[in-house]
C-alpha cells in the first residue's frame, strides 16, 4: 500500500544519504578522482549531507512509527533511531569550539562513531550503506599505506645522506639489510615500493 511505499522510499533515501556521507568524508574520494573537486569543498558537502541524512532518517522513523506495528518490529525502531542518534551526535561534536580546541578528541570520536554508524546501518539491513563503507575502508587503507611509504621515503632519504651515495644505492641498501624490518615490511614488499620511493625522492630534490 501507500504507507509501505513511503516507508521503503524514505528508507532508501536515508541509506543513500548515509553512504554519501561516508564517501564524501574520504580524503581519497572517488568524487575528487572523477570530478576534480577539492577536498575542502567536498568536506562542506559532507557536512551538509550529514544534516540532510539526519532529517531523512527521522522522517523515515516517523513514517515507520505511524504505519507499522511497533511491537512486532521494535528492533528496527531501535537500530534506526540509533543511527539517527549517532549522526546527530557526530554533528554536535563537529561544532567549531569542540573541533577547534579538542581536535584529537573530535578526531578519534568521529572515527569510533563512524564505525558504530556502519555497524548499526548493517544491523538495520540498510544494504546501500555497504557501498559507502567500502569506500571509507578503502580510504583508510590508502592513507595508512601512504603514511607507511612516506616513512620509508624519509628513511631512505636519511640513509642516502648518511651513505653519501646514489638514490638507487640507498634503496638497495634499505632493501638488502635487516634494518628495513622496523617498518614491518618484508624485503619483497620493499622492492615493490622502490620505484615509488625514488620518484618521491626526486620530487623532494626538485622542491
Amino acid at each position: 500500500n501507500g504507507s509501505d511505499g513511503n516507508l521503503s522510499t524514505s528508507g532508501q533515501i536515508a541509506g543513500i544519504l548515509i553512504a554519501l556521507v561516508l564517501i564524501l568524508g574520504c580524503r581519497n574520494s572517488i568524487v575528487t578522482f572523477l570530478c576534480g573537486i577539492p577536498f575542502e569543498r567536498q568536506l562542506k558537502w559532507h557536512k551538509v549531507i550529514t544534516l540532510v541524512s539526519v532529517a531523512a532518517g527521522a522522517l523515515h522513523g516517523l513514517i515507520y512509527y505511524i504505519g507499522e506495528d511497533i511491537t512486532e518490529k521494535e528492533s528496527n525502531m531501535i537500530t534506526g533511531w540509533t543511527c539517527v542518534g549517532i549522526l546527530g551526535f557526530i554533528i554536535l561534536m563537529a561544532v567549531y569550539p569542540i573541533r577547534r580546541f579538542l581536535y584529537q578528541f573530535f578526531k578519534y570520536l568521529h572515527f569510533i562513531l563512524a564505525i558504530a554508524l556502519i555497524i548499526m546501518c548493517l544491523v538495520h539491513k540498510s544494504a546501500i550503506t555497504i557501498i559507502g563503507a567500502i569506500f571509507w575502508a578503502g580510504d583508510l587503507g590508502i592513507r595508512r599505506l601512504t603514511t607507511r611509504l612516506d616513512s620509508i621515503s624519509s628513511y631512505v632519504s636519511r640513509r642516502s645522506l648518511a651513505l653519501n651515495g646514489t638514490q638507487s644505492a640507498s634503496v638497495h641498501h634499505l632493501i638488502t639489510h635487516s634494518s628495513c624490518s622496523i617498518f614491518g615490511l618484508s624485503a619483497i614488499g620493499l622492492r615493490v615500493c622502490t620505484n615509488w620511493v625514488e620518484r618521491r625522492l626526486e620530487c623532494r630534490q626538485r622542491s
Side-chain angles (χ1 to χ4, degrees):
N1 55 38
S3 177
D4 291 338
N6 291 335
L7 180 65
S8 176
T9 301
S10 63
Q12 291 172 359
I13 292 173
I16 290 172
L17 288 171
I18 292 175
L20 285 174
V21 166
L22 293 170
I23 292 173
L24 292 175
C26 300
R27 288 188 177 273
N28 304 282
S29 171
I30 190 173
V31 176
T32 301
F33 178 75
L34 294 178
C35 305
I37 298 176
F39 177 69
E40 291 73 18
R41 185 182 302 174
Q42 176 182 301
L43 198 59
K44 292 179 180 179
W45 282 106
H46 169 73
K47 296 174 182 178
V48 170
I49 294 179
T50 301
L51 289 169
V52 176
S53 66
V54 171
L59 177 62
H60 173 60
L62 290 174
I63 293 174
Y64 187 92
Y65 181 82
I66 294 172
E68 297 292 325
D69 185 350
I70 305 303
T71 58
E72 292 184 1
K73 300 182 179 179
E74 184 178 356
S75 61
N76 286 342
M77 286 288 293
I78 293 173
T79 55
W81 283 110
T82 299
C83 291
V84 174
I86 290 173
L87 283 168
F89 193 63
I90 287 175
I91 293 172
L92 178 63
M93 292 295 102
V95 296
Y96 179 78
I98 295 177
R99 193 177 69 254
R100 174 66 177 82
F101 298 105
L102 297 172
Y103 179 74
Q104 289 300 319
F105 172 75
F106 161 77
K107 176 182 176 181
Y108 290 113
L109 184 63
H110 205 77
F111 177 78
I112 293 171
L113 290 176
I115 294 177
L117 176 64
I118 292 171
I119 292 173
M120 293 310 298
C121 284
L122 295 179
V123 173
H124 193 67
K125 299 178 182 179
S126 177
I128 190 69
T129 310
I130 297 175
I131 297 175
I134 290 172
F135 279 104
W136 187 73
D139 174 63
L140 291 179
I142 291 172
R143 287 161 65 179
R144 182 163 181 80
L145 177 61
T146 301
T147 301
R148 182 61 59 86
L149 291 176
D150 282 338
S151 298
I152 295 172
S153 178
S154 298
Y155 179 73
V156 172
S157 298
R158 293 194 300 270
R159 296 295 296 178
S160 178
L161 292 173
L163 296 174
N164 194 25
T166 63
Q167 295 174 9
S168 297
S170 299
V171 175
H172 178 74
H173 180 85
L174 174 65
I175 292 173
T176 56
H177 287 71
S178 60
S179 60
C180 68
S181 63
I182 63 174
F183 299 106
L185 296 175
S186 66
I188 295 176
L190 286 173
R191 289 190 182 94
V192 175
C193 301
T194 297
N195 292 335
W196 184 91
V197 171
E198 291 182 344
R199 287 197 299 270
R200 292 299 294 268
L201 286 170
E202 291 174 0
C203 291
R204 289 188 179 186
Q205 287 181 348
R206 293 194 195 100
S207 60

